[in-house]
């Protein structure tokens, strides 16, 4: 489904600004969008038009729609940086065969990159909003989602049984936790809090899907492509000797190293078909406030003019969020999880008129619908997985959004 206004009179104009401070703190009320890391990135508000789709090959169709849309508008962009000029925010379904994805053009975008800031307007002039103060929820209660802890542990055990029987090598299982808040959540308060507490992650928001993801599915800047693959996790409390012992355990864990190898190989194999050069180093350790991950930072050089959105569509779903073999894991996931993921664990990010953009995976997040907040956490299941340990890992990953909801700090 596509909605579009009369584009004949639209001028997309980017103008330089003085430093605006925290980007999420400038968001006004209404539909908001975010992609921010280490203080840089993009936030947007309002909705001018969108393109929605369902189907495995639809990312390429969305990229074609976006190229056509950009050709219909006039552009005044003296800023000339990735993310200035026309830009759209996108959120793709985990299973695009059954759930809808969207590419949304906001009415205003505020950006910052490398010490330069700008405001982009689509058609009508706009002023930079003042710094806002967003009230957090006063009360939060929780309930199990599709499966309780025991039921989800049984699903993990069934996945391990199937893996050991040779049906597949790896499958990623997620569970959901539903929070009810009073008053309804202002997603802007979550964005400000997440950007401050998890600066090395990417604080995202599209269509109420909000979170702070550590995983960069793909970034394109001209001919350069980057991808950060995460799989294998340690967390506080995993070992009695503390965080360092848990991290040493992670770096020596055959189970986690094997899980990570599937994920990195999955991404590298797909990127290789688009790149003339590809560098895939050995995994290192990525430390976050609540967990540590095995991480592989892939760098490549693209052939041709493939956009970041098309690359994201080609890469998804990787073994990091689905499993190996992909089709077998993707068919098994809803049977074991007993829920619809929607856009959780799907690509989320932005694309500009040149095809540059950043696309992460919608992890460590929640779908916000007024006072209802549906959180998600997933774990990679392989032959050596243990249900109790996987449940503890999922609980550790819920901490990000639980802390964001329960914070009483005003933003």
């Amino acid at each position: 489904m596509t909605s579009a206004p009369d584009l004949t009179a639209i001028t997309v104009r980017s103008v330089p600004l003085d430093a605006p401070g925290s980007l999420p703190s400038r968001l006004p009320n209404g539909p908001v969008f975010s992609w921010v890391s280490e203080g840089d990135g993009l936030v947007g508000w309002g909705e001018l038009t969108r393109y929605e789709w369902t189907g495995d090959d639809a990312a390429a169709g969305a990229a074609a729609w976006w190229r056509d849309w950009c050709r219909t508008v006039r552009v005044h962009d003296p800023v000339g940086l990735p993310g200035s000029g026309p830009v759209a925010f996108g959120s793709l379904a985990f299973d695009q065969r059954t759930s809808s994805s969207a590419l949304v053009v906001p009415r205003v975008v505020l950006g910052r990159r490398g010490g330069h800031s700008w405001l982009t307007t689509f058609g009508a002039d706009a002023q930079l909003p003042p710094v806002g103060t967003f009230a957090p929820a006063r009360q939060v209660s929780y309930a199990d989602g599709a499966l309780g802890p025991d039921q989800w542990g049984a699903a993990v055990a069934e996945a391990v049984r199937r893996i050991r029987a040779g049906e597949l090598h790896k499958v990623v299982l997620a569970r959901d936790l539903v929070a009810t808040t009073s008053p309804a959540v202002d997603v802007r308060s979550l964005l400000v809090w997440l950007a401050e507490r998890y600066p090395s992650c990417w604080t995202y928001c599209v269509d109420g899907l909000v979170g702070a993801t550590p995983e960069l599915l793909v970034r394109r800047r001209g001919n350069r492509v980057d991808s950060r693959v995460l799989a294998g996790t340690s967390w506080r409390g995993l070992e009695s000797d503390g965080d360092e012992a848990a991290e040493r355990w992670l770096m020596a864990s055959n189970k986690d190293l094997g899980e990570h190898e599937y994920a990195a190989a999955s991404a590298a194999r797909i990127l290789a078909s688009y790149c003339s050069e590809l560098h895939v180093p050995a995994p290192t350790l990525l430390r976050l406030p609540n967990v540590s991950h095995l991480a592989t930072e892939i760098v490549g050089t693209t052939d041709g003019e493939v956009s970041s959105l098309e690359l994201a569509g080609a890469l998804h779903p990787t073994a990091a969020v689905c499993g190996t073999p992909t089709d077998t894991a993707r068919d098994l996931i809803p049977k074991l999880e007993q829920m619809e993921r929607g856009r959780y664990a799907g690509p989320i990010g932005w694309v500009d008129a040149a095809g540059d953009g950043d696309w992460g995976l919608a992890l460590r997040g929640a779908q916000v619908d007024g006072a209802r907040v549906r959180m998600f956490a997933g774990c990679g299941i392989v032959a050596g997985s243990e249900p109790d340990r996987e449940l503890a890992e999922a609980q550790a990953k819920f901490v990000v959004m639980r802390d964001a909801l329960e914070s009483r700090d005003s933003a």
Side-chain angles (χ1 to χ4, degrees), residues 198 234-236 288-292 364 396-400:
Y198 292 85
S234 69
W235 59 94
R236 292 188 177 94
L288 299 174
N290 61 322
V291 295
S292 295
R364 311 296 195 274
K397 291 174 178 176
F398 280 135
V399 166
V400 175

Side-chain angles (χ1 to χ4, degrees), residues 14-90:
S14 294
V15 296
L17 289 178
D18 293 333
S22 166
L23 298 182
S25 73
R26 293 287 190 166
L27 288 168
N29 195 22
V32 296
F33 308 89
S34 175
W35 184 263
V36 174
S37 179
E38 302 289 2
D40 282 1
L42 304 170
V43 295
W45 56 92
E47 182 176 319
L48 181 65
T49 187
R50 67 167 52 215
Y51 179 92
E52 292 190 359
W53 71 93
T54 303
D56 260 345
D57 60 350
W65 175 86
W66 173 240
R67 284 192 293 268
D68 290 343
W69 193 93
C70 290
R71 283 194 286 265
T72 66
V73 298
R74 297 188 296 268
V75 179
H76 178 69
D77 180 19
V79 176
L81 292 172
S84 65
V87 66
F89 291 84

Side-chain angles (χ1 to χ4, degrees), residues 35 53 55-60 62-63 90-94 96 101-103 215-220 225-227 266-267 270-271 273-274 302 306-319 321 330 345-351 355-362:
W35 184 263
W53 71 93
D56 260 345
D57 60 350
S91 176
L92 280 61
F94 169 75
Q96 296 177 52
S101 305
L103 195 64
E215 188 146 359
L216 181 70
L217 181 64
V218 66
R219 165 183 292 151
R220 200 205 85 168
V225 170
D226 295 88
S227 179
S266 169
I270 295 166
L271 285 174
S273 64
Y274 292 93
T302 61
V306 61
S307 77
S308 61
L309 174 54
E310 290 169 290
L311 288 170
L315 281 163
H316 181 71
T318 68
V321 294
R330 186 166 54 172
I348 193 163
W350 62 272
V351 60
D356 286 342
D358 292 354
W359 294 88
L361 291 171

